[in-house]
Structures are given as C-alpha cells and as structure tokens.
Amino acid sequence: MRTADEATRKRILNRLKRARGQLDAVINAVETDGSCREVVTQLAAVSTALDRAGFAIVSTAMQYCIADPQKASEEEDGLSVEELEKLFLSLS
C-alpha cells in the first residue's frame, strides 16, 4: 500500500473502518441474542465491505505492478505479477 495515492488510501481505509463497525454490530448482536436476520444482515455487510476493500487493495497493487514490475518488485518486498495474481485469487 506504499504506492497508493492519498485518495485511494482514504477510500480503502473508509471501507475497512466501515467493516470494523459492522463487525462490532455482528458481535453485539450475537452477544445480546439478536435475531438471525439482524446477525446475517450485518455479517453480509461486513463481508461486502471487506470484499470491496480487498478489491481496491489488489487492483491498486496490480496497476502499480504492471506499470513498473521492476520498481514494484524492489519497493514491495519482491512482489511479482505472478505472486499478486495468487494473492488476488486467494480472496475468492
């Protein structure tokens, strides 16, 4: 994430913070014997927020990695396009 511009970084952080808030709501609903509907709805929201943040993180890295593979490898701990592909596929 060292290479993400400030707007992208802010967007990703907002999604992750939203997911954290929704996860807190899931935990609270489980702890207080919330309804199944409430728990599942909040859980779905957490999952969606994490998926979107993950996509933003991977797509940003892919853009950087493809634009300058040598520089990306040097600055991102040896990350190659092939490794990035594996990371992306691990999200599914």
Side-chain angles (χ1 to χ4, degrees):
M1 289 310 310
R2 297 177 206 146
T3 58
D5 62 58
E6 194 57 36
T8 301
R9 187 183 313 259
K10 185 175 180 179
R11 189 175 80 245
I12 291 168
L13 282 172
N14 285 340
R15 288 197 186 280
L16 291 172
K17 288 176 182 179
R18 186 176 308 130
R20 180 173 49 195
Q22 291 162 331
L23 181 57
D24 286 341
V26 171
I27 293 167
N28 185 50
V30 171
E31 289 176 337
T32 60
D33 293 327
S35 71
C36 287
R37 178 176 287 139
E38 178 185 3
V39 172
V40 172
T41 299
Q42 288 298 329
L43 189 58
V46 171
S47 180
T48 299
L50 287 174
D51 287 345
R52 289 181 178 178
F55 176 80
I57 290 167
V58 172
S59 66
T60 299
M62 287 180 85
Q63 291 171 9
Y64 179 66
C65 208
I66 290 171
D68 192 346
Q70 181 63 36
K71 186 175 179 184
S73 178
E74 293 167 5
E75 293 182 3
E76 292 293 336
D77 303 321
L79 184 65
S80 67
V81 174
E82 292 79 19
E83 290 172 301
L84 188 57
E85 181 181 356
K86 288 179 187 176
L87 289 172
F88 177 75
L89 292 173
S90 73
L91 291 173
S92 59

